[in-house]
Amino acid sequence: MKRRRVWLIVAFLLLIPVVIGVNTLRNWAGIAAVTDTPQDRLTMLSPGWRMVPEGPVSDAGAVLLSGCDGVHDNMEYWAGTFAERGHPGLILDSHTPRDLDQMESWRLLCMGQVLTGAERAGDLAVAMAASKRDDVILLGASHGGWSVLEFIAQTLTGEVAPGLSEWPAPPKRLLDRVGAAIVLYPYCGALNGAVSGDWSDAPPMLMIIAGQDELRLAPDCEEMAAELRKLGASIDLIYYEEAGHGFEQQERAAFSVLEFNAELRDRATSAVNAFLDRNGL
């Protein structure tokens, strides 16, 4: 009996990497576990949306997507920065409505096991359809940056985000209402499928790369930026050699090795403001 129990435990442990591998392949193929209509997605997400300052979502002049650990102080900071420029910020919480803020289940996002950037781009599509502004700024940090890149690629090709039954509005109309996109230390690895289509109609983009990124994302993002430029994208690339992942986020998970850097956040803020100035936003 004891030996049988040991073998069951061993079999279970051997099965875990197989399940993870199969699930990763499913995500890479763009196959979602659940499909929502745009209205269902709106109904799920909207109670967790927050405007900075308070106001109707229709006034959102910026949409912000957090990293895989959920909404933290950096989203509030950037939303306030945009609000000062006349672009009230909509902080889009993809985690709480899905209970991905419970029991550190957000780590499944970080591992690429649930809610890939391509799927989460559907959240952004629904939020963009709810805003009525014509000069919306998109900002995504880490996993959120991945989602912004996927959203732009999807609007350019017309491909619907995995897990969304259809577009909430014509994709070209959504894209035309984006004034600029800012991605901070985004995930640019193998699961990111944004390098596709013709990017000559994409909005201007600022990509900020962290040279000391603990997740080793910098080389992939430099390569992706170069590939997107070949497809016609207009990308300003800033490389902060001394920056780590999440350098402008103060709130941290327990035992996190990531570090907040106030001086780099100030530099990034100046760079973001200069980028928006150049693009009339």
Side-chain angles (χ1 to χ4, degrees):
M1 189 70 179
K2 191 176 194 180
R3 182 177 297 176
R4 181 183 177 187
R5 187 178 302 125
V6 170
W7 278 110
L8 286 173
I9 293 173
V10 170
F12 175 74
L13 293 175
L14 291 174
L15 186 62
I16 290 176
V18 174
V19 172
I20 291 175
V22 170
N23 194 50
T24 300
L25 285 173
R26 175 186 66 79
N27 288 326
W28 176 80
I31 302 171
V34 178
T35 299
D36 303 321
T37 67
Q39 183 58 51
D40 288 342
R41 186 72 62 90
L42 176 66
T43 300
M44 176 181 70
L45 293 174
S46 56
W49 285 351
R50 186 157 57 84
M51 289 288 295
V52 178
E54 291 186 10
V57 170
S58 59
D59 289 346
V63 182
L64 301 91
L65 287 83
S66 71
C68 64
D69 58 343
V71 175
H72 291 291
D73 63 283
N74 56 337
M75 294 294 101
E76 185 83 27
Y77 175 81
W78 289 115
T81 299
F82 298 143
E84 289 177 0
R85 300 184 64 93
H87 290 260
L90 167 59
I91 299 176
L92 201 171
D93 185 351
S94 295
H95 291 63
T96 305
R98 296 179 171 93
D99 292 328
L100 292 172
D101 60 334
Q102 302 295 317
M103 302 290 291
E104 298 208 346
S105 54
W106 54 266
R107 294 187 185 276
L108 293 172
L109 268 79
C110 302
M111 296 169 60
Q113 294 303 298
V114 299
L115 196 62
T116 64
E119 289 185 65
R120 196 177 177 196
D123 292 4
L124 181 49
V126 169
M128 280 296 301
S131 169
K132 303 307 177 187
R133 290 280 295 254
D134 290 327
D135 54 354
V136 179
I137 301 166
L138 304 182
L139 179 137
S142 190
H143 190 286
W146 173 16
S147 304
V148 168
L149 290 165
E150 295 271 16
F151 169 77
I152 294 173
Q154 290 164 5
T155 55
L156 289 167
T157 63
E159 182 178 350
V160 181
L164 203 60
S165 63
E166 60 183 332
W167 284 99
K172 186 179 186 307
R173 186 185 305 168
L174 295 179
L175 182 64
D176 288 345
R177 292 176 44 240
V178 177
I182 300 163
V183 290
L184 311 175
Y185 43 87
Y187 169 74
C188 303
L191 289 178
N192 189 327
V195 181
S196 62
D198 180 358
W199 276 64
S200 56
D201 289 333
M205 182 184 304
L206 172 64
M207 180 183 290
I208 296 180
I209 297 177
Q212 300 301 315
D213 196 313
E214 292 81 357
L215 304 182
R216 306 291 190 269
L217 301 181
D220 286 338
C221 285
E222 288 185 284
E223 182 178 343
M224 174 172 282
E227 292 298 317
L228 290 176
R229 283 172 176 156
K230 291 178 183 178
L231 295 176
S234 173
I235 300 180
D236 291 359
L237 191 65
I238 295 178
Y239 190 99
Y240 291 140
E241 176 59 44
E242 64 273 40
H245 195 80
F247 64 87
E248 30 64 88
Q249 178 178 319
Q250 297 186 62
E251 297 173 358
R252 300 293 183 189
F255 310 112
S256 172
V257 298
L258 307 184
E259 296 182 2
F260 169 67
N261 188 315
E263 187 269 333
L264 279 176
R265 186 180 72 173
D266 289 344
R267 285 172 58 188
T269 304
S270 296
V272 165
N273 281 323
F275 167 74
L276 295 175
D277 286 342
R278 289 194 299 274
N279 289 283
L281 297 170

